[in-house]
């Protein structure tokens, strides 16, 4: 049984197979309704079997087991009975995903290729995740993805037992979340005139307007769809930097005494814009209003506020910003940024939520409940964990999936570091210098996919897979913490079989032996010769 991600234990019992047919039933208690509903809908579509309700002790049966942790599960398959015991609803969903994997690649199709011959292999599987936060960032700000593509990405995460979708909703290049009290954020801020093509040639543009946004009902649908599959959606609303789209929509948010923000448009370059928020009380109230609507849409414990890459030039030149620094008794512009982050840290905490931001938010100090996404290597994460803050490890040198997968002329858009499939598999999220107490603050890990050069679901597939499969095993399985001790050849062997699952799901992954032909043409059809890596 070549399961991915690798379970804690799995024993094949070849004489105990369970053939499925039209009489096979599916039963679950009310507390596992999501897992029952998902499993019946998925397997009935793939197999053509009705999987009607049955009685305990027969058919496919989901049960709660209070001796197991919430995301842990056990599967026991014997003739006539497949018992899926879980510690909670999440564990039942992961058990259901494993059961589908046991049935083989055809169980991932949306319509039956055959109506007989479905057999669950006799087996004993026991499993539980290593980390509670197993995430993937999807950047829909640089290039908008329609809602259907986001829902599909949720399904791909859940299929690999990843349980957090970090949705990067706002940036200099676009604002993607409807805020009813500020309609220009999407009416103006969701659209840019054109986009950069590559980095080296600043004159090269695609000359097509680009944009789009999610209505509040779209986002409620995404959140509910994800929750029913065990995935939490964590929104990111960037501030005080990465905000040119917001300033273009509402010029009073910018530093109006040093730049004519009324003439500003949504940014058409990649990188980091110098147009940042001003630090006035009015701007704080504006974003409190934004976040009030965000909290209503997203029930997640964590709300990501970015906090990274905030250029200070405008604040240095702004008389209003300098007056604000003096009014607040701050030393400099860096402390002004920290003031803004700490304000929203407190604001979220008062509403029972927790701020999470990129590791720059450590500068100036944080409230005890705030958490850090460590992206500039491990240093920020180490400092945060040692200071008692929870950390999600996502260092760009290891798990930025927009970075190229090989160092060859055929690879599209040679952005950033070369990170091969094996590199990702050998990534260890917990730094060796952390003692046991600090290491417990590493609550998880995340792979990030920025979309400067991913303008479609097809491009997202190519950059994410199969590396996201390797990352999923790193996040879920109890692998050796010493990267060199990991059995990459065994993973690669299992992955080659798992590619049939990706095929059945319609994923346009990068082939193991190199790019697709449609990806081997840099400079053609919007796939440019690249240049320096993006700043983030």
């Amino acid at each position: 049984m070549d399961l991915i991600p690798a379970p804690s234990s799995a024993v094949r019992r070849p004489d105990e197979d369970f053939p499925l047919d039209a009489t096979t039933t599916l039963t679950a208690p009310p507390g596992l309704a999501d897992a029952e509903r998902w499993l019946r809908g998925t397997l009935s579509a793939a197999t053509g079997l009705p999987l009607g309700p049955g009685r305990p002790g027969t058919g496919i049966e989901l049960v709660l087991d209070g001796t197991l942790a919430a995301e842990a599960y056990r599967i026991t398959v014997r003739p006539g009975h497949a018992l899926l015991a879980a510690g909670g609803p999440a564990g039942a969903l992961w058990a259901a995903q494993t059961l589908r994997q046991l049935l083989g690649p055809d169980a991932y199709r949306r319509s039956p290729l055959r109506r007989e011959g479905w057999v669950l292999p006799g087996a004993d599987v026991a499993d539980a995740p290593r980390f509670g936060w197993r995430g993937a960032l999807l950047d829909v700000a640089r290039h908008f993805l329609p809602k259907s593509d986001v829902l599909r990405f949720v399904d791909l995460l859940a299929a690999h037992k990843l349980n957090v979708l970090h949705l990067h909703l706002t940036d200099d290049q676009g604002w993607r979340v409807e805020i009813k009290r500020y309609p220009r954020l999407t009416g103006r801020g969701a659209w840019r005139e054109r986009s950069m093509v590559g980095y080296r040639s600043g004159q090269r543009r695609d000359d097509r307007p680009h944009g789009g946004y999610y209505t509040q009902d779209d986002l409620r649908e995404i959140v509910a769809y994800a929750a029913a599959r065990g995935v939490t959606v964590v929104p990111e609303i960037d501030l005080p930097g990465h905000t040119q789209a917001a300033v273009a929509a509402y010029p009073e948010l910018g530093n109006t005494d040093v730049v004519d923000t009324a003439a500003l448009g949504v940014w058409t370059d990649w990188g980091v814009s110098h147009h940042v928020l001003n630090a006035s009380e009015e701007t704080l109230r504006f974003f409190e209003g934004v976040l009030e609507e965000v909290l209503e849409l997203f029930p997640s414990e964590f709300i990501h506020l970015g906090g990274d890459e905030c250029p200070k030039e405008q604040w240095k030149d702004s008389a209003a910003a300098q007056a604000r620094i003096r009014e607040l008794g701050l030393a400099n512009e860096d402390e002004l940024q920290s003031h803004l982050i700490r304000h929203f840290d407190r604001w979220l905490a008062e509403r029972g939520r927790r701020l999470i931001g990129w590791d720059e938010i450590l500068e100036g100090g944080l409230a005890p409940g705030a958490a850090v996404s460590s992206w500039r290597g491990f240093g920020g994460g180490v400092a945060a964990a040692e200071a008692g803050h929870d950390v999600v490890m996502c260092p760009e040198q290891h798990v930025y999936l927009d970075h190229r997968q090989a160092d060859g002329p055929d690879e599209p858009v040679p952005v950033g570091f070369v990170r091969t499939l094996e590199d990702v598999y050998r990534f260890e999220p917990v730094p060796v210098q952390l003692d046991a107490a600090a290491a417990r603050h590493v609550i998880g890990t995340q792979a990030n996919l920025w979309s400067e050069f991913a303008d479609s679901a097809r491009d997202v597939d190519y950059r994410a897979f199969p590396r996201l499969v390797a990352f999923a095993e790193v996040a879920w399985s109890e692998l050796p913490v010493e990267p060199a001790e990991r059995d990459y050849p065994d993973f690669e062997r299992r992955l080659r079989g798992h590619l049939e699952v990706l095929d059945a799901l319609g994923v346009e992954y990068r082939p193991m032996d190199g790019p697709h032909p449609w990806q081997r043409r840099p400079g053609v059809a919007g796939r440019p010769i690249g240049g320096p890596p993006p700043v983030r």
Side-chain angles (χ1 to χ4, degrees), residues 247-303:
V247 175
Y250 289 90
E252 65 271 22
L253 298 174
N255 296 281
T256 57
D257 59 343
V258 296
V259 65
D260 179 12
T261 56
L264 195 63
V266 177
W267 208 29
T268 60
D269 287 356
W270 306 135
V272 180
S273 168
H274 290 275
H275 294 286
V276 301
L277 299 178
N278 65 51
S280 69
E281 287 295 322
E282 292 77 14
T283 294
L284 295 182
R285 299 293 87 75
F286 183 100
F287 273 88
E288 287 172 2
V290 168
L291 290 173
E292 284 175 3
E293 296 191 28
V294 168
L295 296 190
E296 192 275 327
L297 297 171
F298 297 92
S300 55
E301 175 185 7
F302 289 98
I303 304 295

Side-chain angles (χ1 to χ4, degrees), residues 25-44 51 60-64 70-75 83-100 158 224-231:
T25 58
L26 174 58
T27 306
L32 301 181
D34 279 346
E36 178 188 19
R37 187 181 304 110
W38 179 85
L39 188 57
R40 178 176 285 112
T42 301
L43 293 191
S44 292
L51 298 176
I60 300 171
E61 182 182 10
L62 291 91
V63 299
L64 284 166
E71 290 195 272
Y73 67 88
R74 292 194 309 267
I75 297 177
L83 181 65
L84 285 66
L93 285 164
W94 308 137
Q97 291 284 359
T98 298
L99 192 78
R100 177 169 67 159
Y225 186 89
R229 287 151 180 78
V231 177

Side-chain angles (χ1 to χ4, degrees), residues 116-140:
E116 338 185 296
W118 291 98
V119 177
L120 273 172
D124 294 313
V125 180
D127 206 4
R130 179 184 179 193
F131 292 108
W133 182 305
R134 306 179 301 280
L137 177 146
L138 185 61
D139 173 14
V140 295

Side-chain angles (χ1 to χ4, degrees), residues 154-176:
V154 167
D155 280 328
L156 295 175
L157 297 185
H160 296 90
K161 300 186 176 74
L162 295 169
N163 68 342
V164 175
L165 171 59
H166 176 167
L167 204 55
H168 183 76
L169 289 164
T170 72
D171 215 299
D172 297 312
Q173 298 86 2
W175 184 284
R176 309 295 179 210

